[in-house]
């Protein structure tokens, strides 16, 4: 016990503990129920994301936002920005590979199985681990230095253990971790004097019903535009 205590007194090991705690909390949150489960006609958050995956993998991007038999305003229309549509496409392909019935066009509405929910939970978790975790680590290391410190550990904990992000993403099948990770990575790149290319989606990034993800996308673009304006002004 004493050896374990001494081990975690070191900031480098405390950082590892934060990463482990962040992963464990995400897994635990995913065990709890979500809004709308088993309640027709719309079935809640799981069904919204599942339906967007269904639409994204079966329709071309030009039809994602058009009213049609497959995408209509009465049943979870895709109203997030195009980045979210491509995310739904990638994750939809993953879901289709293991459980094609979960994303069958039109015939999967209200489809709820334990296995499909597990697969979708994994898409959120993997997105978080691949994008938000490394971006957060990079950002705190740029801000607080490469050498582990208590300040860096606290900043990492405040970022990765944010209750709102944990509950919304891992409790309700959302993917804010992707745009938040891109926002964090953009800020880290600018602070570290590394210039990153601007996002080019070819469509507006704002959609009224997607406040959390749209806000994070706007936050991602804002520092990059500000940096570009500063570069132009100094040229």
């Amino acid at each position: 016990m004493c050896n374990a205590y001494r081990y975690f007194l070191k900031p480098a090991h405390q950082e590892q503990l934060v990463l482990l705690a962040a992963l464990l909390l995400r897994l635990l949150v995913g065990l709890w129920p979500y809004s709308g489960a088993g309640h027709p006609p719309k079935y809640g958050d799981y069904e919204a994301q599942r339906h967007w995956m269904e639409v994204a993998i079966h329709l071309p991007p030009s039809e994602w936002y058009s009213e049609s038999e497959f995408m209509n305003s009465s049943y979870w229309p895709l109203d997030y920005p195009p980045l979210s549509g491509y995310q739904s496409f990638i994750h939809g392909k993953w879901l289709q590979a293991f459980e094609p019935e979960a994303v069958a066009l039109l015939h999967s509405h209200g489809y709820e199985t334990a296995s499909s929910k597990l697969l979708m939970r994994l898409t959120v978790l993997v997105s978080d681990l691949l994008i938000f975790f490394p971006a957060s680590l990079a950002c705190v290391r740029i801000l607080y230095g490469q050498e582990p410190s208590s300040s860096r550990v606290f900043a990492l904990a405040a970022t990765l253990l944010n209750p709102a992000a944990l509950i919304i993403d891992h409790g309700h099948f959302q993917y804010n971790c992707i745009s938040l990770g891109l926002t964090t990575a953009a800020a880290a790149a600018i602070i570290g004097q590394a210039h990153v290319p601007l996002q080019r989606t070819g469509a507006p990034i704002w959609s009224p019903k997607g406040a959390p993800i749209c806000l994070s996308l706007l936050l991602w673009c804002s520092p990059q535009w500000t940096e570009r304006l500063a570069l132009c002004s100094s040229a």
Side-chain angles (χ1 to χ4, degrees), residues 107-216:
H107 299 292
S108 57
H109 289 191
Y111 185 93
E112 291 182 312
T113 64
S115 55
S116 65
K117 293 173 188 178
L118 175 61
L119 288 168
M120 283 183 57
R121 292 285 191 206
L122 287 175
T123 64
V124 180
L125 183 63
V126 171
S127 300
D128 214 345
L129 293 175
L130 291 181
I131 300 175
F132 190 48
F133 271 55
S136 299
L137 276 169
C139 194
V140 297
R141 286 176 180 176
I142 288 172
L143 288 171
Y144 296 97
Q146 293 298 319
E147 290 301 316
S149 65
S150 297
S151 296
R152 198 175 91 174
V153 171
F154 180 81
L156 184 64
T159 303
L160 294 181
L161 302 178
N162 184 316
L166 283 170
I167 294 170
I168 292 174
D169 279 16
H170 298 274
H172 298 280
F173 299 96
Q174 302 297 312
Y175 296 89
N176 293 290
C177 57
I178 295 176
S179 47
L180 287 173
L182 294 175
T183 304
T184 305
I190 292 171
I191 295 169
Q193 300 302 308
H195 303 307
V196 292
L198 287 170
Q199 179 199 28
R200 300 180 188 274
T201 62
I205 63 171
W206 174 256
S207 52
K209 295 183 182 179
I213 194 168
C214 289
L215 178 59
S216 52

